[in-house]
Amino acid sequence: MARIRVLVVDDHRIFAESLAAALAAEPDVDVSAAGSGPAALRCLERATAEGRRYDVMLVDAELGTLATGGTRTVPAPRAPDGGSGPVDGISLVAGVRSGQPHIRTVVLAEKDDPFRAATALQAGASGWVAKDCSLQRLLTVIRGVLRDETHLPAALLTGVLRELTAARKHRTESEQLVESLTPREREVLRCMVAGLGRKAVAERLFLSPHTVRTHMQNVLGKLGVHSTLAAVALARRAGVGPAALTGDVVERGGQLA
């Protein structure tokens, strides 16, 4: 009997342990649990080093949030690079999808949210399931995603399709704006996406700071935005990646790191 290796990632310890115990009772399921994004990444790294691999990862939709007085406060997530800082669920899904594409991810949610479900699918998730669903339903989803199926609650389908259509429209509009830039302005934009400040961009592209300032102003004007943050967000929607960084030439807060 082929065994399915499952990793449960949820910072609600009681829920994670209860779900892991229920899944472990299945004859064809091996399961582990991790209480945070960084802990999950360490589990994945350890499995790889030992010549093992997980097949499915179940991720809490609210991973990395802190419950405070009935509300949830979301800390700034970090890219899933194995660091010790917070990692939110969507970033974890995207990072695992990029680094270990054989792992299927399913998001476990306390409530249906078409926008977040669409975001999870765009990040690489194969399913979105209610936390209070039956064990048999969850097992059906786990086995289904291993057959390359995508699983969503029927009530979410219309909303998710609407969100994905809107996202595609925004991406197309963003792509058209980026295409209006000159090759040099696109280089500058990629440096902005990489987090480089004006001085670092000048050093990287062998330009004067004044010329870089002019290019940056032109980029903002052509993209129709008023800040570097807005330009970077638009660039990412258009699929613009960061310039590859070499050395430590990264400017933050006016200082070189």
Side-chain angles (χ1 to χ4, degrees):
M1 178 186 296
R3 302 192 65 79
I4 303 172
R5 291 188 54 80
V6 178
L7 177 62
V8 179
V9 188
D10 195 309
D11 46 19
H12 297 78
R13 182 176 177 179
I14 295 177
F15 175 84
E17 292 180 348
S18 298
L19 179 57
L23 290 171
E26 295 296 311
D28 62 340
V29 177
D30 291 329
V31 61
S32 302
S36 68
L41 293 169
R42 289 193 292 272
C43 284
L44 296 175
E45 291 171 358
R46 185 163 56 249
T48 299
E50 295 173 354
R52 299 179 290 110
R53 56 186 256 175
Y54 286 96
D55 302 300
V56 178
M57 184 173 67
L58 306 178
V59 182
D60 177 20
E62 302 291 341
L63 184 71
T65 66
L66 303 176
T68 307
T71 61
R72 305 189 74 86
T73 302
V74 183
R78 295 184 186 177
D81 56 2
S84 59
V87 177
D88 74 297
I90 301 302
S91 294
L92 179 62
V93 168
V96 170
R97 180 62 177 172
S98 174
Q100 300 193 46
H102 65 274
I103 299 178
R104 301 294 182 262
T105 56
V106 175
V107 177
L108 305 176
E110 293 181 0
K111 61 181 180 180
D112 287 343
D113 184 331
F115 175 76
R116 296 193 69 185
T119 302
L121 292 180
Q122 289 176 308
S126 297
W128 177 280
V129 181
K131 278 192 171 184
D132 59 0
C133 74
S134 68
L135 180 61
Q136 286 309 118
R137 167 62 181 162
L138 182 56
L139 287 167
T140 296
V141 172
I142 288 173
R143 295 187 172 104
V145 298
L146 287 175
R147 296 191 296 267
D148 288 330
E149 298 172 0
T150 299
H151 284 257
L152 287 171
L156 270 182
L157 285 176
T158 299
V160 168
L161 288 174
R162 185 182 299 117
E163 293 291 345
L164 291 175
T165 299
R168 179 58 198 166
K169 178 182 178 182
H170 292 155
R171 180 180 175 90
T172 300
E173 293 172 347
S174 300
E175 289 171 344
Q176 291 173 346
L177 289 171
V178 170
E179 287 174 0
S180 70
L181 303 179
T182 66
R184 177 62 85 182
E185 289 166 351
R186 291 180 197 174
E187 285 185 299
V188 170
L189 179 60
R190 291 184 64 230
C191 289
M192 293 163 66
V193 173
L196 298 179
R198 188 187 308 166
K199 183 177 179 181
V201 175
E203 293 177 357
R204 178 182 179 80
L205 300 181
F206 303 102
L207 300 172
S208 71
H210 175 75
T211 299
V212 171
R213 180 174 181 273
T214 299
H215 282 314
M216 286 184 166
Q217 289 176 336
N218 290 340
V219 167
L220 297 184
K222 290 183 179 181
L223 297 184
V225 297
H226 301 287
S227 69
T228 297
L229 287 177
V232 169
L234 187 151
R236 286 174 174 162
R237 285 199 301 273
V240 176
L245 299 180
T246 57
D248 296 320
V249 186
V250 180
E251 186 178 11
R252 293 186 178 91
Q255 296 182 345
L256 290 180

